[in-house]
Amino acid sequence: MPRYAAPAFPVSRSDFSSLRPRLDALRELVGLSRTRVDRRTLAEAGRVLEEAAARQRHSLDHTVVALAGATGSGKSTLFNCLAGARLSEAGVRRPTTCAPVACAWTDHAGGLLDRLRIPPEARLRP
Protein backbone atom coordinates (compact mmCIF):
# COMPACT_ATOMS: atom_id res chain seq x y z
CA MET A 1 0.00 0.00 0.00
CA PRO A 2 1.47 3.42 -0.91
CA ARG A 3 2.59 5.75 1.84
CA TYR A 4 1.30 9.31 2.23
CA ALA A 5 3.29 11.84 0.22
CA ALA A 6 3.11 15.62 0.24
CA PRO A 7 1.22 17.12 -2.70
CA ALA A 8 3.30 18.05 -5.74
CA PHE A 9 2.10 21.65 -5.43
CA PRO A 10 1.92 22.50 -1.72
CA VAL A 11 -0.69 25.06 -0.75
CA SER A 12 0.56 27.99 1.28
CA ARG A 13 -1.24 30.60 3.34
CA SER A 14 -0.51 33.17 0.63
CA ASP A 15 -2.63 31.11 -1.79
CA PHE A 16 -5.66 32.08 0.30
CA SER A 17 -4.89 35.81 0.24
CA SER A 18 -7.10 36.37 -2.82
CA LEU A 19 -10.11 34.88 -1.01
CA ARG A 20 -10.34 37.61 1.63
CA PRO A 21 -11.03 40.52 -0.80
CA ARG A 22 -13.65 38.40 -2.56
CA LEU A 23 -15.42 37.63 0.70
CA ASP A 24 -15.25 41.32 1.66
CA ALA A 25 -16.78 42.24 -1.71
CA LEU A 26 -19.58 39.69 -1.23
CA ARG A 27 -20.24 41.05 2.27
CA GLU A 28 -20.48 44.59 0.88
CA LEU A 29 -22.72 43.45 -1.98
CA VAL A 30 -25.08 41.74 0.47
CA GLY A 31 -25.23 44.92 2.56
CA LEU A 32 -26.00 47.11 -0.45
CA SER A 33 -28.56 44.70 -1.93
CA ARG A 34 -30.94 44.25 0.98
CA THR A 35 -33.70 46.30 -0.67
CA ARG A 36 -33.03 45.09 -4.23
CA VAL A 37 -32.44 41.34 -4.11
CA ASP A 38 -34.69 38.47 -3.02
CA ARG A 39 -34.30 37.59 0.66
CA ARG A 40 -33.58 33.90 -0.11
CA THR A 41 -30.73 34.84 -2.44
CA LEU A 42 -29.25 37.11 0.21
CA ALA A 43 -29.67 34.34 2.79
CA GLU A 44 -27.63 31.98 0.61
CA ALA A 45 -24.88 34.58 0.22
CA GLY A 46 -24.96 35.09 3.99
CA ARG A 47 -24.60 31.34 4.52
CA VAL A 48 -21.52 31.32 2.27
CA LEU A 49 -20.01 34.15 4.32
CA GLU A 50 -20.78 32.37 7.60
CA GLU A 51 -19.24 29.10 6.37
CA ALA A 52 -16.12 30.88 5.13
CA ALA A 53 -15.73 32.67 8.47
CA ALA A 54 -16.21 29.42 10.40
CA ARG A 55 -13.58 27.65 8.27
CA GLN A 56 -11.13 30.54 8.64
CA ARG A 57 -11.27 30.14 12.43
CA HIS A 58 -9.53 26.78 11.98
CA SER A 59 -5.95 26.19 10.95
CA LEU A 60 -5.14 26.40 7.26
CA ASP A 61 -2.67 23.57 7.87
CA HIS A 62 -5.52 21.09 7.35
CA THR A 63 -6.96 20.02 4.03
CA VAL A 64 -10.39 18.42 3.86
CA VAL A 65 -11.02 15.86 1.14
CA ALA A 66 -14.35 14.10 0.68
CA LEU A 67 -14.62 10.84 -1.20
CA ALA A 68 -18.00 10.38 -2.81
CA GLY A 69 -19.30 7.70 -5.12
CA ALA A 70 -21.69 4.84 -5.61
CA THR A 71 -21.97 1.99 -3.13
CA GLY A 72 -19.16 -0.48 -3.71
CA SER A 73 -17.15 1.86 -5.93
CA GLY A 74 -13.95 1.66 -3.87
CA LYS A 75 -14.12 4.71 -1.64
CA SER A 76 -12.85 2.84 1.43
CA THR A 77 -10.02 1.28 -0.56
CA LEU A 78 -9.02 4.70 -1.88
CA PHE A 79 -9.28 6.18 1.63
CA ASN A 80 -6.94 3.48 2.94
CA CYS A 81 -4.46 4.12 0.11
CA LEU A 82 -4.47 7.85 0.81
CA ALA A 83 -4.00 7.23 4.54
CA GLY A 84 -1.24 4.71 3.94
CA ALA A 85 -2.91 2.31 6.37
CA ARG A 86 -5.96 0.09 6.55
CA LEU A 87 -8.32 2.30 8.52
CA SER A 88 -11.67 1.87 6.82
CA GLU A 89 -13.14 -1.58 6.34
CA ALA A 90 -13.42 -2.44 2.63
CA GLY A 91 -15.60 -5.43 1.90
CA VAL A 92 -17.83 -7.23 -0.53
CA ARG A 93 -21.01 -6.57 1.49
CA ARG A 94 -22.71 -3.31 0.53
CA PRO A 95 -22.70 -0.85 2.12
CA THR A 96 -19.69 -1.69 4.27
CA THR A 97 -19.05 1.84 5.54
CA CYS A 98 -22.20 3.23 7.14
CA ALA A 99 -20.84 6.45 8.69
CA PRO A 100 -18.23 9.07 7.79
CA VAL A 101 -14.65 8.47 8.90
CA ALA A 102 -11.71 10.85 9.02
CA CYS A 103 -7.96 10.46 9.05
CA ALA A 104 -5.73 13.12 10.61
CA TRP A 105 -1.97 13.03 10.89
CA THR A 106 -1.92 15.54 13.78
CA ASP A 107 -3.66 16.03 17.10
CA HIS A 108 -4.67 19.57 16.12
CA ALA A 109 -7.57 18.76 13.79
CA GLY A 110 -10.19 18.27 16.51
CA GLY A 111 -11.95 21.61 16.07
CA LEU A 112 -12.25 21.16 12.33
CA LEU A 113 -13.47 17.56 12.72
CA ASP A 114 -16.03 18.78 15.28
CA ARG A 115 -17.24 21.33 12.72
CA LEU A 116 -17.56 18.54 10.13
CA ARG A 117 -19.53 16.48 12.69
CA ILE A 118 -17.08 13.56 12.62
CA PRO A 119 -17.61 11.69 15.92
CA PRO A 120 -14.47 11.07 18.02
CA GLU A 121 -14.64 7.29 17.49
CA ALA A 122 -14.47 7.83 13.69
CA ARG A 123 -11.27 9.94 13.85
CA LEU A 124 -8.49 7.62 12.82
CA ARG A 125 -4.69 7.88 12.79
CA PRO A 126 -2.50 6.06 10.28
Side-chain angles (χ1 to χ4, degrees), residues 47-114:
R47 191 190 65 74
V48 168
L49 291 168
E50 289 171 12
E51 286 295 316
R55 177 60 180 96
Q56 287 178 331
R57 286 191 288 273
H58 297 285
S59 171
L60 294 177
D61 293 335
H62 302 293
T63 300
V64 176
V65 176
L67 303 177
T71 302
S73 63
K75 297 178 296 294
S76 293
T77 301
L78 178 58
F79 177 83
N80 291 336
C81 285
L82 292 170
R86 187 176 178 154
L87 301 175
S88 184
E89 184 65 34
V92 178
R93 182 178 54 92
R94 294 180 181 183
T96 301
T97 308
C98 60
V101 294
C103 177
W105 282 265
T106 72
D107 293 328
H108 309 293
L112 181 57
L113 294 175
D114 288 342

